[in-house]
Amino acid sequence: MTYRTSADVREEFDAHHRRALIITTVDYENRAVKAHLTDPEILIGEKDGLYEYGRFSDPAGEWLVVHVITSPGNIDAGLDTREAFYEFGNFQ
């Protein structure tokens, strides 16, 4: 697993039309997401947010996935979602 900043992958992310954001709060959800990602990387955001970045393949093509592990609760999830959009742009 490598460590990069969100700026390091922004060009790759912007050039790919299939992008997803997955937000999880509990350990079994985190493990389920990680089990389906290939080439996972840890990304450190500009405001020190921690993201997991990887690829998910389906029959229609490949998705670039940003995975955010957040604390339980709507406020934390909302703040982390906003930060992910700030770091990476739009998601499908």
Side-chain angles (χ1 to χ4, degrees):
M1 195 173 289
T2 61
Y3 295 90
R4 298 194 290 169
T5 66
S6 59
D8 293 336
V9 297
R10 194 170 290 142
E11 275 187 43
E12 175 187 3
F13 197 74
D14 288 342
H16 202 282
H17 69 280
R18 297 180 66 150
R19 302 178 303 259
L21 173 65
I22 300 175
I23 300 171
T24 59
T25 60
V26 294
D27 191 47
Y28 67 87
E29 292 173 339
N30 300 334
R31 287 192 312 265
V33 170
K34 290 177 184 185
H36 290 89
L37 293 180
T38 57
D39 302 324
E41 301 178 39
I42 299 296
L43 301 178
I44 300 170
E46 292 177 9
K47 295 185 179 181
D48 295 328
L50 201 58
Y51 304 95
E52 186 169 36
Y53 175 74
R55 299 172 185 281
F56 174 79
S57 295
D58 73 8
E62 186 175 76
W63 287 83
L64 297 182
V65 176
V66 172
H67 176 212
V68 179
I69 302 169
T70 187
S71 300
N74 292 337
I75 293 173
D76 287 330
L79 292 172
D80 289 338
T81 300
R82 182 192 67 186
E83 288 301 316
F85 274 86
Y86 172 76
E87 298 280 358
F88 301 99
N90 291 329
F91 296 91
Q92 280 57 49

Coordinates of all heavy atoms in Angstrom, one line a residue:
M1 N 0.9 -1.2 0.0 CA 0.0 0.0 0.0 C 0.9 1.2 0.0 O 1.9 1.3 0.7 CB -0.9 0.0 1.2 CG -2.0 0.9 1.1 SD -3.3 0.8 2.5 CE -4.0 -0.8 2.1
T2 N 0.6 2.2 -0.9 CA 1.4 3.4 -1.0 C 0.6 4.6 -0.3 O -0.5 4.5 -0.1 CB 1.7 3.7 -2.4 OG1 0.5 3.9 -3.1 CG2 2.5 2.6 -3.1
Y3 N 1.4 5.6 -0.1 CA 0.8 6.9 0.5 C 1.1 8.0 -0.5 O 2.2 8.3 -0.8 CB 1.4 7.2 1.8 CG 1.1 6.1 2.9 CD1 2.0 5.0 3.1 CD2 0.0 6.2 3.7 CE1 1.7 4.1 4.0 CE2 -0.3 5.3 4.6 CZ 0.6 4.2 4.8 OH 0.3 3.3 5.7
R4 N 0.0 8.7 -0.9 CA 0.1 9.8 -1.8 C -0.9 10.9 -1.3 O -1.8 10.6 -0.5 CB -0.3 9.5 -3.2 CG 0.7 8.5 -3.8 CD 0.6 8.4 -5.3 NE -0.7 7.8 -5.7 CZ -1.1 7.8 -7.0 NH1 -0.4 8.3 -7.9 NH2 -2.3 7.2 -7.3
T5 N -0.8 12.1 -1.8 CA -1.7 13.1 -1.5 C -2.8 13.1 -2.5 O -2.7 12.6 -3.6 CB -1.1 14.5 -1.5 OG1 -0.6 14.8 -2.8 CG2 0.1 14.6 -0.5
S6 N -3.9 13.8 -2.2 CA -5.0 13.8 -3.1 C -4.6 14.6 -4.4 O -5.1 14.3 -5.5 CB -6.3 14.5 -2.5 OG -5.9 15.8 -2.0
A7 N -3.8 15.6 -4.3 CA -3.3 16.3 -5.5 C -2.5 15.4 -6.4 O -2.6 15.6 -7.6 CB -2.4 17.5 -5.0
D8 N -1.9 14.4 -5.9 CA -1.1 13.4 -6.7 C -2.0 12.6 -7.7 O -1.6 12.2 -8.7 CB -0.3 12.4 -5.9 CG 0.8 13.1 -5.1 OD1 1.3 14.2 -5.5 OD2 1.2 12.5 -4.0
V9 N -3.3 12.4 -7.3 CA -4.1 11.6 -8.1 C -5.3 12.4 -8.7 O -6.1 11.8 -9.4 CB -4.7 10.4 -7.3 CG1 -3.7 9.5 -6.8 CG2 -5.6 10.9 -6.1
R10 N -5.3 13.7 -8.5 CA -6.5 14.5 -9.0 C -6.6 14.4 -10.5 O -7.7 14.3 -11.1 CB -6.3 15.9 -8.5 CG -7.6 16.7 -8.7 CD -7.6 18.0 -8.1 NE -7.6 17.8 -6.6 CZ -6.9 18.5 -5.7 NH1 -6.1 19.5 -6.2 NH2 -7.0 18.3 -4.5
E11 N -5.4 14.5 -11.3 CA -5.5 14.4 -12.7 C -6.1 13.1 -13.2 O -6.9 13.1 -14.1 CB -4.1 14.7 -13.3 CG -3.7 16.1 -13.5 CD -2.4 16.2 -14.2 OE1 -2.2 15.5 -15.2 OE2 -1.6 17.0 -13.8
E12 N -5.6 12.0 -12.6 CA -6.1 10.7 -13.0 C -7.6 10.6 -12.7 O -8.4 10.1 -13.5 CB -5.3 9.6 -12.2 CG -5.8 8.2 -12.4 CD -5.2 7.2 -11.5 OE1 -4.3 7.6 -10.7 OE2 -5.5 6.0 -11.7
F13 N -8.0 11.1 -11.5 CA -9.3 11.1 -11.1 C -10.2 11.9 -12.0 O -11.3 11.5 -12.4 CB -9.4 11.5 -9.7 CG -10.7 11.2 -9.0 CD1 -11.0 9.9 -8.6 CD2 -11.7 12.1 -8.7 CE1 -12.1 9.5 -8.0 CE2 -12.9 11.8 -8.1 CZ -13.1 10.4 -7.7
D14 N -9.8 13.1 -12.4 CA -10.6 14.0 -13.2 C -10.7 13.4 -14.7 O -11.7 13.7 -15.3 CB -9.9 15.4 -13.3 CG -10.1 16.2 -12.0 OD1 -11.0 15.8 -11.2 OD2 -9.4 17.1 -11.9
A15 N -9.7 12.7 -15.1 CA -9.8 12.1 -16.5 C -10.7 10.9 -16.6 O -11.0 10.5 -17.7 CB -8.4 11.8 -17.0
H16 N -11.0 10.3 -15.5 CA -11.8 9.1 -15.5 C -13.3 9.4 -15.3 O -13.6 10.1 -14.3 CB -11.3 8.1 -14.4 CG -11.6 6.7 -14.6 ND1 -12.9 6.2 -14.4 CD2 -10.9 5.7 -15.1 CE1 -12.9 4.9 -14.7 NE2 -11.7 4.6 -15.1
H17 N -14.2 8.9 -16.1 CA -15.6 9.3 -16.0 C -16.4 8.5 -15.0 O -17.5 8.8 -14.7 CB -16.3 9.3 -17.4 CG -16.4 7.9 -18.0 ND1 -15.4 7.3 -18.6 CD2 -17.5 7.1 -18.0 CE1 -15.8 6.1 -19.0 NE2 -17.1 6.0 -18.6
R18 N -15.9 7.4 -14.5 CA -16.6 6.6 -13.6 C -15.9 6.7 -12.2 O -14.9 6.0 -12.0 CB -16.6 5.1 -14.1 CG -17.4 5.0 -15.4 CD -17.4 3.6 -15.8 NE -18.2 2.8 -14.9 CZ -18.8 1.7 -15.2 NH1 -18.8 1.3 -16.4 NH2 -19.5 1.1 -14.3
R19 N -16.5 7.5 -11.4 CA -15.9 7.8 -10.1 C -17.0 7.6 -9.0 O -18.1 8.1 -9.2 CB -15.4 9.2 -10.0 CG -14.3 9.5 -11.1 CD -13.9 11.0 -11.0 NE -15.0 11.9 -11.1 CZ -15.3 12.6 -12.2 NH1 -14.6 12.4 -13.3 NH2 -16.2 13.5 -12.3
A20 N -16.6 7.0 -7.9 CA -17.5 6.8 -6.8 C -16.9 7.2 -5.5 O -15.7 7.0 -5.2 CB -17.9 5.3 -6.8
L21 N -17.8 7.6 -4.6 CA -17.4 7.9 -3.2 C -18.2 7.0 -2.3 O -19.4 6.9 -2.4 CB -17.8 9.4 -2.8 CG -17.6 9.8 -1.4 CD1 -16.1 9.7 -1.0 CD2 -18.2 11.2 -1.2
I22 N -17.5 6.2 -1.4 CA -18.1 5.3 -0.5 C -17.8 5.8 0.9 O -16.6 5.9 1.2 CB -17.7 3.9 -0.7 CG1 -18.1 3.4 -2.2 CG2 -18.3 2.9 0.3 CD1 -17.6 2.1 -2.5
I23 N -18.8 6.0 1.7 CA -18.6 6.4 3.1 C -19.0 5.3 4.0 O -20.2 4.8 3.9 CB -19.3 7.7 3.4 CG1 -18.8 8.8 2.5 CG2 -19.2 8.1 4.9 CD1 -19.7 10.0 2.5
T24 N -18.2 4.9 4.9 CA -18.5 3.8 5.9 C -18.2 4.3 7.3 O -17.4 5.2 7.5 CB -17.8 2.5 5.6 OG1 -16.4 2.7 5.7 CG2 -18.2 2.0 4.2
T25 N -18.8 3.6 8.3 CA -18.6 4.0 9.7 C -18.2 2.8 10.6 O -17.5 3.1 11.6 CB -19.8 4.6 10.3 OG1 -20.9 3.7 10.3 CG2 -20.2 5.9 9.6
V26 N -18.5 1.6 10.2 CA -18.2 0.5 11.1 C -17.3 -0.4 10.4 O -17.2 -0.5 9.2 CB -19.5 -0.2 11.5 CG1 -20.4 0.6 12.4 CG2 -20.3 -0.7 10.3
D27 N -16.6 -1.2 11.2 CA -15.5 -2.0 10.8 C -15.9 -3.1 9.7 O -15.2 -3.2 8.7 CB -14.8 -2.7 11.9 CG -13.5 -3.4 11.6 OD1 -12.7 -2.7 10.9 OD2 -13.3 -4.6 11.9
Y28 N -17.0 -3.7 9.9 CA -17.4 -4.8 8.9 C -17.7 -4.1 7.5 O -17.5 -4.7 6.5 CB -18.5 -5.7 9.4 CG -19.9 -5.0 9.5 CD1 -20.7 -4.9 8.5 CD2 -20.2 -4.5 10.8 CE1 -22.0 -4.3 8.7 CE2 -21.5 -3.9 11.0 CZ -22.3 -3.8 9.9 OH -23.6 -3.2 10.0
E29 N -18.2 -2.9 7.5 CA -18.4 -2.2 6.2 C -17.1 -1.8 5.6 O -16.9 -2.0 4.4 CB -19.3 -0.9 6.5 CG -20.7 -1.1 6.9 CD -21.4 0.2 7.2 OE1 -20.7 1.2 7.5 OE2 -22.6 0.2 7.2
N30 N -16.2 -1.4 6.4 CA -14.8 -1.0 5.9 C -14.2 -2.2 5.2 O -13.6 -2.1 4.1 CB -13.9 -0.5 7.0 CG -14.5 0.7 7.7 OD1 -15.3 1.5 7.1 ND2 -14.1 1.0 8.9
R31 N -14.2 -3.4 5.9 CA -13.6 -4.6 5.4 C -14.3 -5.0 4.1 O -13.6 -5.5 3.1 CB -13.7 -5.7 6.4 CG -12.7 -5.5 7.5 CD -12.6 -6.8 8.4 NE -13.8 -7.4 8.8 CZ -14.5 -7.2 9.9 NH1 -14.0 -6.3 10.8 NH2 -15.6 -7.8 10.2
A32 N -15.6 -4.9 4.0 CA -16.3 -5.2 2.8 C -15.9 -4.4 1.6 O -15.7 -4.9 0.5 CB -17.8 -5.1 3.0
V33 N -15.8 -3.1 1.8 CA -15.3 -2.2 0.7 C -13.9 -2.6 0.3 O -13.6 -2.7 -0.9 CB -15.4 -0.7 1.2 CG1 -14.7 0.2 0.1 CG2 -16.9 -0.3 1.3
K34 N -13.0 -2.7 1.3 CA -11.6 -3.0 1.0 C -11.5 -4.3 0.2 O -10.6 -4.5 -0.6 CB -10.8 -3.1 2.3 CG -10.6 -1.7 2.9 CD -9.9 -1.8 4.2 CE -9.8 -0.5 4.8 NZ -9.0 -0.5 6.0
A35 N -12.4 -5.3 0.5 CA -12.3 -6.6 -0.2 C -12.6 -6.5 -1.7 O -12.2 -7.4 -2.4 CB -13.3 -7.6 0.5
H36 N -13.2 -5.4 -2.1 CA -13.6 -5.3 -3.5 C -12.7 -4.3 -4.2 O -12.9 -4.1 -5.4 CB -15.1 -4.8 -3.6 CG -16.0 -5.9 -3.2 ND1 -16.5 -6.1 -1.9 CD2 -16.6 -6.9 -4.0 CE1 -17.3 -7.1 -1.9 NE2 -17.4 -7.6 -3.1
L37 N -11.8 -3.6 -3.6 CA -10.9 -2.7 -4.2 C -9.6 -3.3 -4.6 O -9.0 -4.1 -3.9 CB -10.6 -1.5 -3.3 CG -11.7 -0.6 -2.9 CD1 -11.2 0.5 -2.0 CD2 -12.4 0.0 -4.1
T38 N -9.2 -3.0 -5.8 CA -7.8 -3.4 -6.3 C -6.9 -2.2 -6.3 O -7.4 -1.1 -6.4 CB -7.9 -4.1 -7.7 OG1 -8.5 -3.1 -8.6 CG2 -8.7 -5.3 -7.7
D39 N -5.7 -2.5 -6.1 CA -4.6 -1.4 -6.1 C -4.9 -0.3 -5.0 O -4.9 0.9 -5.3 CB -4.5 -0.7 -7.5 CG -4.1 -1.7 -8.5 OD1 -3.3 -2.7 -8.3 OD2 -4.5 -1.5 -9.7
P40 N -5.3 -0.7 -3.8 CA -5.6 0.3 -2.8 C -4.4 1.1 -2.4 O -3.3 0.7 -2.4 CB -6.1 -0.5 -1.6 CG -5.4 -1.8 -1.7 CD -5.2 -2.1 -3.2
E41 N -4.7 2.4 -2.1 CA -3.7 3.4 -1.7 C -4.3 4.2 -0.6 O -5.5 4.4 -0.6 CB -3.3 4.3 -2.8 CG -2.8 3.6 -4.0 CD -2.4 4.7 -5.1 OE1 -2.0 5.8 -4.8 OE2 -2.7 4.4 -6.3
I42 N -3.5 4.7 0.3 CA -3.9 5.6 1.3 C -3.6 7.0 0.8 O -2.5 7.3 0.4 CB -3.2 5.4 2.7 CG1 -3.5 4.0 3.2 CG2 -3.6 6.4 3.7 CD1 -5.0 3.8 3.5
L43 N -4.6 7.9 0.8 CA -4.3 9.3 0.4 C -4.5 10.2 1.6 O -5.4 10.0 2.4 CB -5.4 9.7 -0.7 CG -5.4 8.9 -1.9 CD1 -6.5 9.4 -2.9 CD2 -4.0 9.0 -2.6
I44 N -3.7 11.2 1.7 CA -3.8 12.2 2.7 C -4.2 13.5 2.0 O -3.5 14.0 1.1 CB -2.4 12.4 3.4 CG1 -2.0 11.1 4.1 CG2 -2.5 13.5 4.5 CD1 -0.6 11.1 4.6
G45 N -5.4 14.0 2.5 CA -5.9 15.2 1.9 C -5.2 16.5 2.3 O -4.3 16.5 3.2
E46 N -5.5 17.6 1.6 CA -4.9 18.9 1.9 C -5.1 19.3 3.3 O -4.3 20.0 3.9 CB -5.4 19.9 0.9 CG -4.9 19.7 -0.5 CD -5.5 20.7 -1.5 OE1 -6.1 21.7 -1.1 OE2 -5.3 20.5 -2.7
K47 N -6.3 18.9 3.9 CA -6.6 19.3 5.3 C -6.4 18.1 6.2 O -7.0 17.9 7.2 CB -8.0 19.8 5.4 CG -8.2 21.1 4.7 CD -9.6 21.6 5.0 CE -9.8 23.0 4.3 NZ -11.1 23.5 4.5
D48 N -5.4 17.2 5.8 CA -5.1 16.0 6.6 C -6.2 15.0 6.7 O -6.1 14.1 7.6 CB -4.5 16.4 7.9 CG -3.2 17.2 7.9 OD1 -2.5 16.9 6.9 OD2 -3.0 18.0 8.7
G49 N -7.1 15.0 5.8 CA -8.1 13.9 5.8 C -7.5 12.7 5.3 O -6.6 12.7 4.4
L50 N -8.0 11.5 5.7 CA -7.4 10.3 5.3 C -8.5 9.5 4.5 O -9.6 9.4 4.8 CB -7.2 9.4 6.6 CG -6.2 8.3 6.5 CD1 -4.8 8.8 6.0 CD2 -6.0 7.6 7.8
Y51 N -8.0 9.1 3.3 CA -8.9 8.5 2.3 C -8.2 7.2 1.8 O -7.0 7.1 1.8 CB -9.1 9.4 1.1 CG -9.6 10.7 1.4 CD1 -8.8 11.8 1.5 CD2 -11.0 10.9 1.6 CE1 -9.3 13.1 1.8 CE2 -11.5 12.2 1.9 CZ -10.6 13.2 2.0 OH -11.1 14.5 2.3
E52 N -9.0 6.2 1.4 CA -8.5 5.1 0.7 C -9.0 5.2 -0.7 O -10.1 5.6 -1.0 CB -9.1 3.8 1.4 CG -8.5 2.6 0.8 CD -8.8 1.3 1.5 OE1 -10.0 1.2 2.0 OE2 -8.0 0.5 1.6
Y53 N -8.1 4.9 -1.6 CA -8.3 5.1 -3.0 C -8.0 3.8 -3.7 O -7.0 3.2 -3.5 CB -7.4 6.2 -3.5 CG -7.4 6.5 -5.0 CD1 -8.5 7.1 -5.6 CD2 -6.4 6.1 -5.8 CE1 -8.5 7.4 -6.9 CE2 -6.4 6.4 -7.2 CZ -7.4 7.0 -7.7 OH -7.5 7.3 -9.1
G54 N -8.9 3.3 -4.6 CA -8.7 2.1 -5.3 C -9.6 2.0 -6.5 O -10.2 2.9 -6.9
R55 N -9.5 0.8 -7.1 CA -10.3 0.6 -8.3 C -11.3 -0.6 -8.1 O -11.0 -1.5 -7.3 CB -9.4 0.2 -9.5 CG -8.4 1.3 -9.8 CD -7.4 0.8 -10.8 NE -6.4 1.8 -11.0 CZ -6.5 2.9 -11.8 NH1 -7.7 3.1 -12.4 NH2 -5.6 3.8 -12.0
F56 N -12.4 -0.5 -8.7 CA -13.4 -1.5 -8.7 C -13.8 -1.8 -10.1 O -14.2 -0.9 -10.9 CB -14.7 -1.1 -7.9 CG -15.8 -2.0 -7.9 CD1 -15.8 -3.2 -7.1 CD2 -16.9 -1.8 -8.8 CE1 -16.8 -4.1 -7.2 CE2 -17.9 -2.8 -8.8 CZ -17.9 -3.9 -8.0
S57 N -13.8 -3.1 -10.5 CA -14.1 -3.5 -11.8 C -15.5 -4.2 -11.9 O -15.8 -5.0 -11.0 CB -13.1 -4.5 -12.4 OG -11.8 -3.8 -12.5
D58 N -16.3 -3.8 -12.9 CA -17.5 -4.5 -13.1 C -17.6 -4.7 -14.6 O -16.7 -4.3 -15.4 CB -18.7 -3.7 -12.6 CG -19.1 -2.4 -13.4 OD1 -18.5 -2.2 -14.4 OD2 -20.0 -1.7 -12.9
P59 N -18.6 -5.5 -15.1 CA -18.6 -5.8 -16.5 C -18.7 -4.6 -17.5 O -18.2 -4.7 -18.6 CB -19.9 -6.7 -16.7 CG -20.1 -7.3 -15.3 CD -19.6 -6.2 -14.3
A60 N -19.2 -3.5 -17.0 CA -19.3 -2.3 -17.9 C -18.0 -1.5 -17.9 O -17.9 -0.6 -18.7 CB -20.5 -1.4 -17.4
G61 N -17.1 -1.8 -17.0 CA -15.8 -1.0 -16.9 C -15.3 -0.8 -15.5 O -15.9 -1.4 -14.6
E62 N -14.3 0.0 -15.4 CA -13.6 0.2 -14.1 C -14.1 1.5 -13.5 O -14.3 2.5 -14.1 CB -12.1 0.2 -14.4 CG -11.3 0.3 -13.2 CD -9.8 0.2 -13.5 OE1 -9.3 1.2 -13.9 OE2 -9.3 -0.8 -13.3
W63 N -14.2 1.5 -12.2 CA -14.5 2.6 -11.4 C -13.3 3.0 -10.5 O -12.6 2.1 -10.0 CB -15.7 2.3 -10.4 CG -17.0 2.2 -11.0 CD1 -17.5 1.1 -11.6 CD2 -18.0 3.2 -11.1 NE1 -18.8 1.3 -12.1 CE2 -19.1 2.6 -11.7 CE3 -18.1 4.5 -10.6 CZ2 -20.3 3.3 -12.0 CZ3 -19.3 5.2 -10.8 CH2 -20.3 4.6 -11.5
L64 N -13.1 4.3 -10.4 CA -12.1 4.8 -9.4 C -12.9 5.1 -8.2 O -14.0 5.8 -8.2 CB -11.4 6.0 -9.9 CG -10.6 5.9 -11.2 CD1 -9.9 7.2 -11.5 CD2 -9.6 4.8 -11.0
V65 N -12.5 4.6 -7.0 CA -13.3 4.7 -5.8 C -12.5 5.4 -4.7 O -11.3 5.1 -4.5 CB -13.7 3.3 -5.3 CG1 -14.4 3.4 -4.0 CG2 -14.5 2.6 -6.3
V66 N -13.1 6.4 -4.1 CA -12.6 7.0 -2.9 C -13.4 6.5 -1.7 O -14.6 6.6 -1.7 CB -12.7 8.6 -2.9 CG1 -12.3 9.2 -1.6 CG2 -11.8 9.1 -4.1
H67 N -12.7 5.9 -0.7 CA -13.4 5.4 0.4 C -13.1 6.2 1.6 O -11.9 6.4 1.9 CB -12.9 3.9 0.6 CG -13.5 3.3 1.8 ND1 -12.8 2.3 2.5 CD2 -14.7 3.4 2.5 CE1 -13.5 1.9 3.5 NE2 -14.6 2.5 3.5
V68 N -14.1 6.7 2.3 CA -13.9 7.5 3.5 C -14.5 6.7 4.7 O -15.6 6.3 4.7 CB -14.7 8.9 3.4 CG1 -14.5 9.7 4.6 CG2 -14.3 9.6 2.2
I69 N -13.6 6.6 5.7 CA -14.1 6.0 7.0 C -14.3 7.1 7.9 O -13.4 7.9 8.3 CB -13.0 5.0 7.5 CG1 -12.7 4.0 6.5 CG2 -13.4 4.4 8.8 CD1 -11.5 3.1 6.8
T70 N -15.6 7.3 8.4 CA -16.0 8.4 9.2 C -16.5 7.9 10.5 O -16.8 6.7 10.7 CB -17.0 9.3 8.5 OG1 -17.2 10.4 9.2 CG2 -18.3 8.5 8.2
S71 N -16.6 8.8 11.5 CA -17.2 8.5 12.8 C -18.7 8.4 12.5 O -19.3 9.0 11.6 CB -17.0 9.6 13.8 OG -15.6 9.8 13.9
P72 N -19.4 7.6 13.4 CA -20.9 7.5 13.2 C -21.6 8.9 13.4 O -21.1 9.7 14.2 CB -21.3 6.6 14.3 CG -20.0 5.8 14.6 CD -18.9 6.7 14.4
G73 N -22.6 9.1 12.7 CA -23.4 10.3 12.8 C -23.5 11.1 11.5 O -22.6 11.1 10.7
N74 N -24.6 11.8 11.3 CA -24.8 12.5 10.1 C -23.9 13.7 10.0 O -23.5 14.0 8.8 CB -26.3 13.0 10.1 CG -27.3 11.9 9.9 OD1 -26.9 10.8 9.4 ND2 -28.5 12.1 10.3
I75 N -23.6 14.4 11.0 CA -22.7 15.6 10.9 C -21.3 15.2 10.5 O -20.8 15.8 9.5 CB -22.7 16.3 12.3 CG1 -24.1 16.9 12.6 CG2 -21.6 17.4 12.3 CD1 -24.2 17.5 13.9
D76 N -20.7 14.2 11.1 CA -19.4 13.8 10.7 C -19.4 13.3 9.2 O -18.5 13.6 8.4 CB -18.8 12.7 11.6 CG -18.4 13.2 12.9 OD1 -18.0 14.4 13.0 OD2 -18.5 12.5 13.9
A77 N -20.4 12.5 8.9 CA -20.5 12.0 7.5 C -20.6 13.1 6.5 O -20.0 13.1 5.4 CB -21.7 11.0 7.4
G78 N -21.5 14.1 6.9 CA -21.6 15.2 6.0 C -20.4 16.0 5.8 O -20.0 16.5 4.7
L79 N -19.6 16.3 6.9 CA -18.4 17.0 6.8 C -17.4 16.3 6.0 O -16.7 16.8 5.1 CB -17.8 17.3 8.2 CG -18.6 18.3 9.0 CD1 -18.1 18.3 10.5 CD2 -18.6 19.7 8.4
D80 N -17.3 14.9 6.2 CA -16.3 14.2 5.4 C -16.7 14.1 3.9 O -15.8 14.1 3.1 CB -16.2 12.7 6.0 CG -15.5 12.7 7.3 OD1 -14.7 13.7 7.6 OD2 -15.7 11.8 8.1
T81 N -18.0 14.0 3.6 CA -18.4 14.1 2.3 C -18.1 15.4 1.6 O -17.5 15.4 0.5 CB -20.0 13.8 2.2 OG1 -20.3 12.6 2.8 CG2 -20.5 13.9 0.8
R82 N -18.3 16.5 2.3 CA -17.9 17.8 1.7 C -16.5 17.9 1.4 O -16.0 18.3 0.4 CB -18.4 18.9 2.7 CG -18.1 20.3 2.1 CD -18.2 21.3 3.1 NE -17.1 21.1 4.1 CZ -17.0 21.8 5.2 NH1 -17.9 22.7 5.6 NH2 -16.0 21.5 6.1
E83 N -15.6 17.4 2.4 CA -14.2 17.4 2.2 C -13.8 16.6 1.0 O -12.9 16.9 0.2 CB -13.5 17.0 3.4 CG -13.5 18.0 4.5 CD -12.9 19.3 4.2 OE1 -11.8 19.4 3.5 OE2 -13.6 20.4 4.5
A84 N -14.4 15.4 0.8 CA -14.0 14.5 -0.3 C -14.4 15.2 -1.7 O -13.6 15.1 -2.6 CB -14.8 13.2 -0.2
F85 N -15.5 15.9 -1.7 CA -15.9 16.7 -2.9 C -14.9 17.8 -3.2 O -14.5 18.1 -4.3 CB -17.3 17.2 -2.9 CG -18.3 16.2 -3.3 CD1 -18.9 15.3 -2.5 CD2 -18.7 16.2 -4.6 CE1 -19.8 14.4 -2.9 CE2 -19.7 15.3 -5.1 CZ -20.2 14.4 -4.2
Y86 N -14.4 18.4 -2.1 CA -13.4 19.5 -2.2 C -12.1 18.9 -2.8 O -11.5 19.5 -3.6 CB -13.2 20.2 -0.9 CG -12.1 21.2 -0.8 CD1 -12.2 22.4 -1.4 CD2 -10.9 20.8 -0.3 CE1 -11.2 23.3 -1.4 CE2 -9.8 21.7 -0.2 CZ -10.0 22.9 -0.8 OH -8.9 23.8 -0.8
E87 N -11.7 17.8 -2.2 CA -10.4 17.2 -2.6 C -10.4 16.6 -4.0 O -9.4 16.8 -4.7 CB -10.1 16.1 -1.6 CG -9.9 16.5 -0.2 CD -8.5 17.1 0.1 OE1 -7.7 17.2 -0.8 OE2 -8.3 17.5 1.2
F88 N -11.5 16.0 -4.4 CA -11.5 15.2 -5.7 C -12.5 15.7 -6.8 O -12.4 15.2 -7.9 CB -11.9 13.8 -5.4 CG -10.9 13.1 -4.4 CD1 -11.2 13.0 -3.1 CD2 -9.7 12.7 -4.9 CE1 -10.3 12.4 -2.2 CE2 -8.7 12.1 -4.0 CZ -9.0 12.0 -2.7
G89 N -13.4 16.5 -6.4 CA -14.4 17.0 -7.4 C -15.7 16.1 -7.4 O -16.0 15.5 -6.3
N90 N -16.4 16.1 -8.5 CA -17.7 15.4 -8.5 C -17.5 13.8 -8.6 O -16.5 13.3 -9.1 CB -18.5 15.8 -9.7 CG -18.9 17.2 -9.5 OD1 -19.2 17.7 -8.4 ND2 -19.1 18.0 -10.6
F91 N -18.5 13.2 -8.1 CA -18.6 11.7 -8.1 C -19.9 11.3 -8.9 O -20.8 12.1 -8.9 CB -18.6 11.1 -6.7 CG -17.4 11.4 -5.9 CD1 -17.3 12.5 -5.1 CD2 -16.3 10.5 -6.0 CE1 -16.1 12.7 -4.4 CE2 -15.2 10.7 -5.2 CZ -15.1 11.8 -4.4
Q92 N -19.9 10.1 -9.4 CA -21.1 9.6 -10.0 C -21.9 9.0 -8.9 O -22.9 8.9 -8.6 CB -20.9 8.6 -11.1 CG -20.5 9.2 -12.4 CD -19.3 10.2 -12.4 OE1 -18.2 9.8 -11.9 NE2 -19.4 11.3 -12.9

